[in-house]
Amino acid sequence: MTQMTALTQMTALTETAVPAETAVVREAPGDALLVVVDVQNDFCHPAGTMAAAGRELTAVHRAVDRIEVLVDAARTAGVPVVFVRTEHGPELDSAAWRHRLAPGIGPGSEPAAPNCRRGGWGAGFYRVTPRPGEWVAVKHRYSAFTGPGFAERLAGYGRRSLLFCGVTTDVCVESSLRSAVDHDYLATVVEDACAAYTEAEHDAAVAVIGRSFGRSFTTDALVGRWRTPVDHGRAPKTRDKERRGET
């Protein structure tokens, strides 16, 4: 295949994959879907692997408080909730994945410590419980979109706006949100319903998202919008606008 032929085929694929342009209100219950990322024992529980590694969980537990409120409000408003769960194990993790933080693969290069082992306590959900019929999407890397069949099943909901919460803001939440943008979704981070293990990491991720990938809401602002009729003629006031003093 010539380079020109490959380029032509790629261009054709991109053009045919562009969704039709329709009106979408970012937080409207009829347009939105809530994605809860990696709220699991190893990442959040005081007995999990992250706590054992010395990570500070105070901000994580505050975020889980807000996630519980957000999930309940989404269900009441008719917003679908998808729970994303990470699972790892010898049959799931490549050498490159295990050595992603190492100088290389081979003698002298130590693999990263495992977490969220498939079938183990660490992979279980922490304080959030999917209801019967709610989708639990399993992934083995950072982005939810790397999970088997995730993009295809997500498209079946017909929702063009994805609202992200979970842990950690700077790793799996941000990775999933970036992938959502690449798949032509509107992407929003619910910033107080996310957490990283340091405030600086969380704030940096929210800033990067707001600058290049999407918008941010607080839980209270989002839940408030769900409890009142959406004004389709006016853009919603996001957290980004609140910081700038705009209406």
Side-chain angles (χ1 to χ4, degrees):
M1 180 183 298
T2 66
Q3 183 175 0
M4 184 59 69
T5 301
L7 180 59
T8 299
Q9 291 184 355
M10 184 178 298
T11 301
L13 176 60
T14 302
E15 290 176 348
T16 58
V18 174
E21 185 168 334
T22 56
V24 177
V25 176
R26 189 177 289 268
E27 84 289 16
D31 292 329
L33 180 146
L34 180 64
V35 184
V36 183
V37 180
D38 291 1
V39 184
Q40 297 170 253
N41 288 326
D42 268 349
F43 298 135
C44 304
H45 196 285
T49 56
M50 293 297 102
R55 303 298 180 93
E56 172 56 51
L57 299 181
T58 301
V60 170
H61 294 161
R62 284 199 303 265
V64 176
D65 291 340
R66 305 309 289 158
I67 292 168
E68 290 177 323
V69 171
L70 190 60
V71 168
D72 285 345
R75 288 166 172 160
T76 300
V79 176
V81 184
V82 174
F83 293 84
V84 178
R85 179 171 65 203
T86 290
E87 292 182 356
H88 292 292
E91 73 283 10
L92 302 171
D93 298 342
S94 67
W97 173 257
R98 295 194 307 273
H99 292 82
R100 63 192 180 280
L101 306 178
I105 300 173
S109 293
E110 291 293 325
N115 54 43
C116 297
R117 287 192 174 276
R118 173 178 278 180
W121 171 85
F125 287 114
Y126 175 74
R127 288 174 46 190
V128 297
T129 305
R131 288 181 177 176
E134 289 180 331
W135 178 24
V136 176
V138 176
K139 65 182 177 67
H140 313 301
R141 299 295 184 267
Y142 290 137
S143 170
F145 282 83
T146 63
F150 182 84
E152 293 78 13
R153 183 165 178 179
L154 186 66
Y157 283 85
R159 306 297 178 106
R160 299 309 309 165
S161 176
L162 302 184
L163 311 171
F164 288 89
C165 64
V167 296
T168 61
T169 321
D170 56 320
V171 184
C172 291
V173 173
E174 184 178 342
S175 295
S176 298
L177 186 147
R178 288 183 181 223
S179 293
V181 175
D182 289 340
H183 284 77
D184 293 316
Y185 289 92
L186 291 181
T188 302
V189 61
V190 188
E191 63 176 88
D192 61 338
C194 295
Y197 297 118
T198 71
E199 184 178 355
E201 290 170 336
H202 171 80
D203 289 347
V206 171
V208 167
I209 289 167
R211 184 168 60 246
S212 301
F213 298 101
R215 293 294 186 103
S216 60
F217 285 103
T218 63
T219 299
D220 288 345
L222 189 56
V223 172
R225 296 292 291 185
W226 287 343
R227 289 175 178 167
T228 58
V230 174
D231 181 358
H232 290 269
R234 178 183 174 134
K237 184 175 181 180
T238 65
R239 185 64 171 167
D240 312 279
K241 287 187 176 183
E242 291 174 10
R243 291 196 181 98
R244 297 194 296 266
E246 300 176 13
T247 57

